[in-house]
Every structure is written in structure tokens, then in C-alpha cells.
Amino acid sequence: MKSFTYERVDTPAAATAAFARTKGSRYIAGGTNLLDLMKLEIETPGHLIDISRLALDKIEPTPEGGLRIGAMVRNTDLAADARVRRDYGLVSRALVAGASGQLRNKATTAGNLLQRTRCPYFYDPNQPCNKRNPGSGCAAIGGFSRLHAVVGASEACIATHPSDMAVAMQALDAAVETVDAAGKTRSIALADFYRPPGTTPHLENMLAPGELITGVTLPKPVGGIHIYHKVRDRASYAFALISVGAIVQPDGSGRVALGGVAYKPWRVKAAEAEMPRGAKAVATALLAGAKTSHENAYKLPLVERTLAGVLMQARG
């Protein structure tokens, strides 16, 4: 690990000011992803700004009837919150399906959204990776691609986003709240938060340099049956081959988001209109235009079969 300097801040304003003041800065809270990347020298920040003590660890109702989740709320606390379990069960179920209890105790809401891909080529500095080293190429294309994207990818990158929580929040129409060094705040729909890889896969989201996530808002509850099903290679501590987050209403309508298939949680609203027709129609619309390799083509039928099981469970 390369040497770095460190400071701890107590307010969002102090955090963004420190970032603007010191070149090569990165924010750190739980550190469950960043520290691993620093040990491998994939991330090499010269300065760490510890934001773990910011007063952004509350879950509060919004005037519109939804919830505001502070950026520093730990994954364990979010999954266990009575309001989340009652009204946003998809979030709770997705969080419990992710990582391990020890990691959930440290990982934060904002950090979960910002975690980087688990593509093995990204983690191997000896391999070309446009996300790690722009312009170097993508070893996954033509390489071992069993875990990689089948939709939304590009000729420069076929990595998938690893977050389970983000899949649930995508289905719930969440929005990300931020503040910058000038004190300007904004809200970004999660559907628009992640950048498509295009020719610049190292630019992963819409945050400007130094812009700090302060929270995530969920609209008022939509009801229905919430199911999160994650298919993985082992029963725990594994990222999704594919995952399905679904909200199914009594009349058969609902919402669906997928994990493990794209650079972001994958939701196609036109596909949700097909839900009364069944899993095959929904999966066909969700995966329209899919591009597969011989190693990850299994994801297409796996999505359909998993979705069929989810819909069957929801409808009893």
C-alpha cells in the first residue's frame, strides 16, 4: 500500500472543503471496498478524508411520506429498521443477501452505492482493464466472462455493478442526494446515477470531483409483495450471477430490477407492463439487445427461470 495522509472531518462542508484543498483526496467511511483496493494499489489516494463521523446516520420520514436514509447509515441498521422492513422490504432482503454480517456492520449506504466492480481483471494489475487504466483494453472481452454483463455493456468494458441494495433501490425509484464544495445540493434519480461504460468506463457515476453523497430518499411505499432472489455460486459471501428484485401487486402488475447483468441495476419500465403475461415476456423485454459470450449466455435463461420462481412465489 502506498503512503497517504489522513484527516477526520465532522461536517459535510468540512469534507468537501478538505477535498478541494488537497489533491488526490478520497472519502472513506466503512472502507470495506476502498481499503482492499488500496492494498492492491488499484486505488492510490494521496489523502484520505474520514467522513465516518458525519451526522448522516439517521433514517427519517420525508414530508412526501417516504424515507430519507443518511449516507452513513450502516447496512445492518438499515436492514433491521422496522419502517424499512415493513414498507420497503425489498431493501432489507437485498441487504441481508449481500456480503457478511461483519461487513454489513461497517458498510454504509453511500459506500454500498459507490462500490466498484468485482471483475477479476479489474482486480489483477497484470491484466489490461479500461476501468482501472483507461485505454489499456478489456481483458474480459475474449477472456473469462462467466460473471460479466449481457446488457448495457460496451466495446471498452463488460463489467457488472455488484450492489444488491442498489437493485432494490432502483425498483423503488430511489434518489441520491449530494452536496458540493460550494454548498450546492442536488438530487439524482438512481436510474440516472450510473454512467454507461461507453468509451470511458472509468467514469462510473454522475458525481463531480469532491461531491459528497449525503443521503438516499425513497418515495412513499407502493405496497405489494417484495421479493429479492439472488443466484450465486455459494450460499453466502458471494456476488450475484444474477439477482431479481421484484414488487408484485395483487392485480399482477409490479416492478422488476435485475442485478448481475449490467453496469448498473437493470430496470426497463416497458418490461414491467408485461408482468401480467408472465416471466418469459418480462425477461424478453428486460434483456432485449443482449450480447453474450459462450460463457455468460446462461444468464438469459437463468433470468427467466428466476423471475418465474419469484412471480410464482409472489402469487402464491
Side-chain angles (χ1 to χ4, degrees), residues 30-157:
T32 58
N33 188 204
L34 178 59
L35 289 177
D36 286 344
L37 294 173
M38 289 174 65
K39 291 173 184 177
L40 295 170
E41 295 190 3
I42 294 170
E43 294 270 12
T44 55
H47 185 65
L48 289 183
I49 302 167
D50 186 344
I51 58 173
S52 62
R53 296 192 180 184
L54 299 187
L56 299 173
D57 58 350
K58 302 292 189 298
I59 304 173
E60 302 169 311
T62 66
E64 297 76 24
L67 281 183
R68 185 184 186 278
I69 303 161
M72 295 298 112
V73 173
R74 306 293 171 168
N75 287 178
T76 294
D77 296 332
L78 181 57
D81 185 89
R83 294 160 296 183
V84 174
R85 294 177 64 188
R86 182 188 67 231
D87 297 328
Y88 306 95
L90 194 57
V91 171
S92 184
R93 290 172 172 83
L95 283 167
V96 171
S100 65
Q102 295 93 329
L103 287 173
R104 293 195 297 271
N105 289 342
K106 289 291 292 180
T108 63
T109 298
N112 191 304
L113 295 177
L114 293 175
Q115 62 183 302
R116 305 198 70 185
T117 182
R118 262 55 180 194
C119 171
Y121 296 105
F122 173 75
Y123 272 80
D124 184 353
N126 296 311
Q127 298 290 336
C129 172
N130 289 318
K131 190 177 283 291
R132 174 172 30 83
N133 184 16
S136 63
C138 176
I141 297 175
F144 178 72
S145 56
R146 177 173 175 267
L147 306 177
H148 289 78
V150 294
V151 285
S154 74
E155 296 300 319
C157 182

Side-chain angles (χ1 to χ4, degrees), residues 151-226:
V151 285
S154 74
E155 296 300 319
C157 182
I158 58 172
T160 59
H161 193 269
S163 174
D164 292 290
M165 183 193 76
V167 176
M169 289 188 168
Q170 179 79 295
L172 289 162
D173 289 329
V176 180
E177 295 183 340
T178 72
V179 64
D180 64 16
K184 182 180 179 181
T185 62
R186 63 170 174 157
S187 178
I188 310 167
L190 187 61
D192 301 322
F193 183 71
Y194 297 106
R195 293 177 183 265
T199 59
T200 56
H202 61 291
L203 302 176
E204 297 179 340
N205 56 62
M206 301 303 294
L207 295 177
E211 190 172 10
L212 179 71
I213 294 177
T214 55
V216 176
T217 56
L218 297 174
K220 63 181 181 180
V222 296
I225 296 174
H226 293 219

Side-chain angles (χ1 to χ4, degrees), residues 170 256-258 265-273 282 285-288:
Q170 179 79 295
V256 176
L258 302 178
W266 195 250
R267 184 180 176 196
V268 179
K269 291 192 176 182
E272 295 170 355
V282 177
L286 276 170
L287 301 173

